[in-house]
């Protein structure tokens, strides 16, 4: 069974900590980008998300958003939690970063 609660680290050094996992599948926590982000100013930022019911699906899908503290940016993640034959849990996710645009003409470069 895949449960998102706890600490997760990506292959690029990003860290996600899920501190609250509700019975309805909602969760919250924090996210800290790794060295690949290239910006030492980035602080730990809050995340909010939702996971499928693990009682119904043993390898659930999930989604969460990160609201970056220092910038007018948000990132949305969408993925699935897998359990390997050795029992190890792995997250696979796609993400989309959006920053505020100054005008509709600048919208094309904001995502």
């Amino acid at each position: 069974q895949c449960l998102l609660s706890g600490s997760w680290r990506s292959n690029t050094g990003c860290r996600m900590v899920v501190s609250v996992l509700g019975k309805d599948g909602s969760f919250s926590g924090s996210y800290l980008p790794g060295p690949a982000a290239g910006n030492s100013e980035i602080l730990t930022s809050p995340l909010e998300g939702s996971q499928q019911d693990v009682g119904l699906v043993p390898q659930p899908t999930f989604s969460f958003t990160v609201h970056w503290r220092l910038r007018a940016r948000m990132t949305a993640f969408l993925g699935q939690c897998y359990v390997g034959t050795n029992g190890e849990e792995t997250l696979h996710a796609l993400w989309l970063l959006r920053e505020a645009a100054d005008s509709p003409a600048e919208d094309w470069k904001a995502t």
Side-chain angles (χ1 to χ4, degrees), residues 24-61:
D24 64 351
S26 64
F27 61 89
S28 61
S30 58
Y31 190 89
L32 180 64
N39 187 345
S40 60
E41 292 180 357
I42 298 176
L43 301 173
T44 300
S45 297
L47 67 83
E48 298 276 335
S50 182
Q51 172 182 336
Q52 277 182 305
D53 185 344
V54 294
L56 300 175
V57 181
Q59 299 187 116
T61 60

Side-chain angles (χ1 to χ4, degrees), residues 20 25 27 29 47-48 56-57 69 73-74 79 94-95 105:
V20 177
F27 61 89
L47 67 83
E48 298 276 335
L56 300 175
V57 181
R69 291 191 186 273
R73 294 180 174 172
M74 301 243 353
L94 297 173
W95 57 272

Side-chain angles (χ1 to χ4, degrees), residues 70-88:
L70 292 181
R71 305 250 170 127
R73 294 180 174 172
M74 301 243 353
T75 304
F77 291 80
L78 181 63
Q80 187 168 357
C81 185
Y82 293 100
V83 180
T85 55
N86 61 357
E88 183 177 326

